[in-house]
Every structure is written in structure tokens, then in C-alpha cells.
Amino acid sequence: MLNSKTGKHYPITNQRPLIEQRLKEGFTLYDFEKAIDYFIQHQQEISLNDLIVHLPDYLNKINSN
């Protein structure tokens, strides 16, 4: 989704363990999509690593608005 929405090509092979860890922590694909949509709506750049590492912070920020 990140690639299709941004028009970029983020390879996930190196990030797969981090993504799987977030999913094991109870986050969902919808959580990732929500964060990606937020950044796109606010025209902010985001790296895949930042998205994964800071996902809880981003979701807290989104949910507090």
C-alpha cells in the first residue's frame, strides 16, 4: 500500500521482521494503512523504517486529533 500510494518503491525484505513484530504486538494492517493515509493527507514524507518503528506514536497522534 505504501508503494502504491506514494509512487515509490520501498523494498520490505529487510523490514519484514519488524513488520511481523508489530503484528505480533497486536497492530493490524489497518493500523499501518491508517498511518500511511495520515501522512499522505498531510503531504509528509515517511520512510518505511520510521513507519514501522514509530507506528504506536503515529497512531496515538492520529487518534488524539
Side-chain angles (χ1 to χ4, degrees):
M1 178 185 169
L2 181 61
N3 288 339
S4 65
K5 292 235 176 185
T6 61
K8 297 184 179 187
H9 179 71
Y10 294 100
I12 67 162
T13 52
N14 294 338
Q15 304 299 334
R16 187 174 301 272
L18 291 173
I19 294 169
E20 290 172 353
Q21 180 62 37
R22 287 293 184 212
L23 294 173
K24 287 178 185 174
E25 292 171 359
F27 293 98
T28 64
L29 291 178
Y30 177 73
D31 292 327
F32 284 95
E33 291 173 3
K34 195 163 138 179
I36 292 166
D37 285 339
Y38 176 84
F39 282 100
I40 290 171
Q41 284 177 336
H42 291 87
Q43 299 176 347
Q44 296 177 351
E45 289 290 321
I46 186 170
S47 73
L48 180 57
N49 188 61
D50 283 346
L51 173 66
I52 298 165
V53 171
H54 300 289
L55 182 63
D57 300 326
Y58 296 144
L59 291 174
N60 285 334
K61 181 178 178 180
I62 292 165
N63 291 330
S64 69
N65 289 336

